[in-house]
Amino acid sequence: MVLHICTCTGRIDVPASPDFGSDVTVKVSECLCSKEGRAAVDASLGDDRRLVLAGCTPRILERFFGDIDSEMVNIREPGVFLGKGWDGIETMIRGGIERARAAEPVEKRERTIAKKSVLVIGAGVSGRESARWLGE
């Protein structure tokens, strides 16, 4: 598993060698939301590797890494704006690592649509009832 920690251009204080276990490779970047940050993440990707990105809000990270299957952990707002310090940030990162360990890989499937007359979006009670009713 690879963990990329972003210091958000020096706003987050990260220890020199953070330890998250022997199976986690930690890489610290100055700014993940840049071309250099994307290049560093791309270089660390492998077929069997899980990826955890710790930095700014996932809304911003998804702009740069939306096409990569990864666990995103928001450490900027709690760490910088709320002042949780490294102990709080470390706890959030450990939670992200555990979510990544427990996650199953997403299987991409393509389906052919026989009749394109109706599309039901949503799997709530009304969506399922609508799909059942339209399928009859």
Side-chain angles (χ1 to χ4, degrees):
M1 180 177 309
V2 180
L3 165 65
H4 283 272
I5 302 174
C6 181
T7 64
C8 295
T9 62
R11 292 187 181 117
I12 299 172
D13 293 326
V14 178
S17 58
D19 182 26
F20 290 97
S22 60
D23 65 330
V24 179
T25 304
V26 179
K27 299 187 180 204
V28 179
S29 299
E30 187 71 21
C31 184
L32 279 179
C33 298
S34 64
K35 290 180 182 178
E36 294 81 15
R38 174 63 194 234
V41 170
D42 286 343
S44 68
L45 288 176
D47 293 335
D48 60 341
R49 294 197 150 188
R50 295 189 186 260
L51 180 66
V52 178
L53 301 173
C56 56
T57 177
R59 181 174 288 181
I60 295 172
L61 285 175
E62 284 176 353
R63 293 182 195 164
F64 293 90
F65 305 105
D67 59 332
I68 298 175
D69 186 22
S70 64
E71 181 66 40
M72 297 182 188
V73 181
N74 180 4
I75 61 172
R76 186 181 68 178
E77 279 75 14
V80 176
F81 301 131
L82 298 179
K84 289 201 176 218
W86 178 249
D87 291 336
I89 292 171
E90 183 180 22
T91 301
M92 289 184 287
I93 293 173
R94 287 193 186 280
I97 290 171
E98 290 305 317
R99 283 191 305 272
R101 283 184 180 137
E104 295 290 326
V106 177
E107 180 184 331
K108 295 182 180 179
R109 299 182 280 184
E110 288 188 24
R111 300 187 183 226
T112 57
I113 300 172
K115 296 180 183 178
K116 297 182 181 182
S117 59
V118 176
L119 173 64
V120 177
I121 298 175
V125 174
S126 61
R128 288 185 296 199
E129 187 63 23
S130 300
R132 185 189 64 77
W133 183 77
L134 291 167
E136 291 176 349

